[in-house]
């Protein structure tokens, strides 16, 4: 399988580079059409402006389609790189269905879909590919640890921070190249404190957070994905929510 995935990663790399080519050709064609419109002596100025506005909309649509395609290529590459580094995550890495959603800051999950913002995915890939790897696996770990479904009557904001701390602690404890990062002093201090707790879990970290006055600061340190799509307390009784949770157990 390793050789297979190495070839797949190489193809995906090439795919990301080539994803833009068809759109470049389409863009050139539209630009030529714009020149024809501008030089058409039979058209009035108003007609030319109207026709050029239509071409502008076509260019915008082409750009949007390219961004969507490139984002999918990138996420497929992320999934393959994580598998190469951690083969035991194969099933988990392929469980979430990719779904575009421009409303999320970067990414989110509800246990069924991996919601992603195409523009943010492209930007992150160019600036910090490791953070993108971490973001994808971060959402998967929320599902594997059942964080999405265990809040119950706890304070939502504190619960979210506790879940993010546990997931980031897990990622930082893996010591894998695909998700490796330099630990900040804040992280080192937090990890030192939670390791002294009676068991490291979301519940013990939640209780520990309830005694602190810097939860907002810790939120900014550990936040990665959007938790808005996590089921609310009233959703826990819905059979569909229960079946999704069982899929990850």
């Amino acid at each position: 399988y390793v050789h297979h995935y190495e070839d797949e990663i190489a193809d995906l790399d090439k795919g990301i580079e080539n994803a833009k080519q068809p759109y470049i050709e389409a863009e050139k064609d539209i630009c030529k059409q714009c020149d024809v419109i501008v030089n058409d002596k039979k058209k009035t100025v108003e007609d030319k402006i109207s026709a050029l506005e239509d071409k502008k909309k076509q260019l915008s649509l082409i750009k949007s389609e390219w961004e969507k395609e490139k984002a999918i290529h990138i996420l497929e590459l992320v999934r393959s790189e994580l598998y190469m580094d951690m083969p035991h995550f194969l099933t988990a890495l392929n469980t979430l269905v990719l779904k575009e959603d421009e409303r999320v800051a970067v990414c989110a999950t509800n246990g069924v879909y991996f919601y992603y913002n195409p523009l943010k995915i492209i930007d992150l890939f160019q600036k910090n590919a490791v953070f993108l790897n971490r973001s994808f696996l971060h959402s998967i770990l929320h599902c594997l640890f059942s964080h999405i479904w265990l809040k119950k009557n706890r304070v939502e904001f504190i619960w979210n921070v506790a879940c993010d701390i546990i997931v980031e602690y897990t990622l930082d404890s893996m010591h894998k190249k695909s998700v490796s990062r330099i630990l900040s002093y804040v992280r080192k201090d937090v990890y030192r404190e939670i390791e002294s707790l009676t068991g490291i879990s979301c519940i013990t970290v939640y209780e520990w957070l309830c005694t602190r006055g810097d939860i907002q600061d810790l939120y900014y340190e550990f936040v990665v994905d959007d938790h808005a799509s996590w089921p609310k307390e009233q959703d826990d009784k819905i059979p569909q929510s229960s079946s999704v949770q069982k899929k990850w157990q």
Side-chain angles (χ1 to χ4, degrees), residues 66-79:
W66 167 69
E67 289 166 350
K68 292 175 183 178
E69 181 178 333
K70 186 172 182 179
I72 291 172
H73 275 298
I74 289 169
L75 289 173
E76 289 174 347
L77 177 60
V78 165
R79 195 148 48 186

Side-chain angles (χ1 to χ4, degrees), residues 197-210:
L197 300 175
T198 307
I200 302 177
S201 69
C202 265
I203 295 173
T204 56
V205 171
Y206 175 89
E207 293 171 350
W208 170 75
L209 284 172
C210 289

Side-chain angles (χ1 to χ4, degrees), residues 20-77:
K20 197 175 180 180
Q21 194 56 41
Y23 301 107
I24 289 175
E25 296 302 322
E27 183 181 29
K28 287 179 179 177
D29 185 53
I30 291 175
C31 288
K32 288 178 182 178
Q33 294 175 31
C34 288
D35 290 337
V36 172
I37 293 168
V38 170
N39 296 317
D40 190 345
K41 296 180 180 179
K42 295 181 180 180
K43 287 184 180 291
T44 64
V45 173
E46 289 77 11
D47 289 340
K48 288 181 179 181
I49 291 173
S50 177
L52 289 171
E53 282 295 326
D54 287 339
K55 296 303 174 185
K56 182 181 176 182
K57 290 177 183 177
Q58 289 180 29
L59 284 171
S60 179
L61 182 61
I62 287 171
K63 180 174 180 288
S64 177
E65 289 175 351
W66 167 69
E67 289 166 350
K68 292 175 183 178
E69 181 178 333
K70 186 172 182 179
I72 291 172
H73 275 298
I74 289 169
L75 289 173
E76 289 174 347
L77 177 60

Side-chain angles (χ1 to χ4, degrees), residues 109-120:
T109 187
N110 62 352
V112 178
Y113 295 105
F114 179 80
Y115 299 102
Y116 65 93
N117 185 318
L119 282 177
K120 293 294 185 181

Side-chain angles (χ1 to χ4, degrees), residues 95-96 109-113 139-154 159-160 163 202 227 229-233 235-249:
T95 297
L96 293 177
T109 187
N110 62 352
V112 178
Y113 295 105
S139 291
I140 287 172
L141 289 175
H142 278 317
C143 299
L144 288 172
F145 295 157
S146 293
H147 292 166
I148 297 175
W149 304 281
L150 297 179
K151 182 181 78 69
K152 297 185 179 178
N153 61 347
R154 298 181 179 91
W159 176 253
N160 286 341
C163 292
C202 265
H227 297 179
S229 57
W230 289 14
K232 305 301 178 185
E233 188 176 351
D235 298 332
D236 294 340
K237 299 177 182 179
I238 300 175
Q240 184 180 2
S241 180
S242 178
S243 64
V244 173
Q245 181 182 359
K246 288 179 181 177
K247 182 175 68 173
W248 288 96
Q249 291 175 342

Side-chain angles (χ1 to χ4, degrees), residues 68-211:
K68 292 175 183 178
E69 181 178 333
K70 186 172 182 179
I72 291 172
H73 275 298
I74 289 169
L75 289 173
E76 289 174 347
L77 177 60
V78 165
R79 195 148 48 186
S80 294
E81 285 185 342
L82 289 171
Y83 168 73
M84 288 287 291
D85 211 11
M86 294 167 274
H88 51 285
F89 276 113
L90 176 61
T91 301
L93 289 169
N94 289 282
T95 297
L96 293 177
V97 179
L98 301 181
K99 191 168 185 177
E100 172 201 342
D101 189 341
E102 295 180 355
R103 295 172 298 176
V104 299
V106 178
C107 61
T109 187
N110 62 352
V112 178
Y113 295 105
F114 179 80
Y115 299 102
Y116 65 93
N117 185 318
L119 282 177
K120 293 294 185 181
I121 293 297
I122 294 170
D123 185 56
L124 264 180
F125 181 71
Q126 293 169 341
K127 294 179 179 178
N128 191 341
V130 170
F131 181 78
L132 190 54
N133 290 347
R134 289 179 66 101
S135 299
F136 192 82
L137 193 52
H138 180 106
S139 291
I140 287 172
L141 289 175
H142 278 317
C143 299
L144 288 172
F145 295 157
S146 293
H147 292 166
I148 297 175
W149 304 281
L150 297 179
K151 182 181 78 69
K152 297 185 179 178
N153 61 347
R154 298 181 179 91
V155 178
E156 184 174 346
F157 178 69
I158 302 176
W159 176 253
N160 286 341
V161 177
C163 292
D164 283 335
I165 289 175
I166 285 292
V167 166
E168 288 297 291
Y169 173 77
T170 303
L171 288 171
D172 290 330
S173 300
M174 287 177 174
H175 306 296
K176 293 291 185 178
K177 184 179 178 181
S178 59
V179 294
S180 180
R181 58 159 287 169
I182 297 173
L183 298 187
S184 65
Y185 287 115
V186 173
R187 289 192 177 224
K188 289 178 180 178
D189 288 342
V190 168
Y191 294 163
R192 192 180 303 112
E193 290 198 41
I194 66 174
E195 284 172 353
S196 67
L197 300 175
T198 307
I200 302 177
S201 69
C202 265
I203 295 173
T204 56
V205 171
Y206 175 89
E207 293 171 350
W208 170 75
L209 284 172
C210 289
T211 66

